Amino acid sequence: MSTTTLLAFAAAALLLLVIPGPAVMYIVTRSAAQGRKAGLVSVAGIHLGTVVHIVAAMIGLSAILAASATAFTVVKLVGAAYLIWLGLQSIRSYQRGKVETDVSVAPRRLRRVFVDAVVLNVLNPKTAIFFLSFVPQFIDPETAHPVLDIATLGAVFIVLGLVSDGAYALAGGWVGGRLRRSPRLQRRKDLVAGGTYLGLGAFTALAGGHSS
């Protein structure tokens, strides 16, 4: 694969990555509500989920998802339901009036944050469609190693994603730090986080359908 192709892909992928979507909103919300470390752990989880999509693209599972309207809708709705579940969990925490000022240092909570991020991105069918419809545009149809080229572009995407999403996590942590200076806002952070997840779940469920 030529350097020109890699640079063109990197520029296009970076443009897509910096536009906030469900993954970015999840990262920012986690970082603001639970601290910068939780945000960075979310970034790692999101991109482990990206690895799953890259592998799926390499073995052709993304093509199955893209070709089946039913499979696409099922995965989309399961992902939306998971976001709604996260939202309800956060709202329950708010209703209990439980204020945690340093949850980012609790290993068990960090594992939960990481797992939620992985599941969130694995259940994002649009990521699979991205690797099926966008990445192939940068693959030479006459290449002798298409699978290797997909892996290479996937690695570039992940590196760029770690950088851009990491920046969002740091920004979210800064916002959260400001909010934690106010006890009133600190208590309401779970309500804000819950509302964000519920909104993302509804948006995911109602987003444009699959065309086939």
Side-chain angles (χ1 to χ4, degrees), residues 177-192:
R178 309 282 281 191
L179 294 177
R180 279 187 284 276
R181 295 179 183 178
S182 167
R184 185 178 180 182
L185 292 176
Q186 169 66 11
R187 183 175 179 272
R188 291 185 177 181
K189 65 181 175 57
D190 286 327
L191 182 62
V192 174

Side-chain angles (χ1 to χ4, degrees), residues 45-58 121-122 131 154 158:
I46 288 292
H47 289 290
L48 179 58
T50 301
V51 171
V52 174
H53 286 290
I54 293 171
V55 173
M58 292 167 62
N121 210 27
V122 168
F131 280 99
I158 288 177

Side-chain angles (χ1 to χ4, degrees), residues 135-192:
V135 171
Q137 298 179 38
F138 296 87
I139 304 294
D140 184 348
E142 298 183 357
T143 183
H145 306 287
V147 172
L148 179 59
D149 288 349
I150 292 173
T152 300
L153 295 179
V156 171
F157 182 86
I158 288 177
V159 170
L160 293 173
L162 290 172
V163 173
S164 63
D165 290 342
Y168 275 116
L170 295 177
W174 180 83
V175 171
R178 309 282 281 191
L179 294 177
R180 279 187 284 276
R181 295 179 183 178
S182 167
R184 185 178 180 182
L185 292 176
Q186 169 66 11
R187 183 175 179 272
R188 291 185 177 181
K189 65 181 175 57
D190 286 327
L191 182 62
V192 174

Side-chain angles (χ1 to χ4, degrees), residues 58-108:
M58 292 167 62
I59 63 179
L61 293 180
S62 294
I64 296 175
L65 182 63
S68 172
T70 300
F72 183 92
T73 300
V74 168
V75 173
K76 181 180 73 170
L77 292 179
V78 171
Y82 194 78
L83 281 166
I84 291 171
W85 180 81
L86 291 177
L88 294 175
Q89 292 293 101
S90 294
I91 290 174
R92 288 193 189 102
S93 294
Y94 167 75
Q95 291 173 336
R96 289 195 298 266
K98 185 177 180 182
V99 179
E100 299 180 10
T101 59
D102 197 21
V103 295
S104 63
V105 300
R108 186 173 66 178

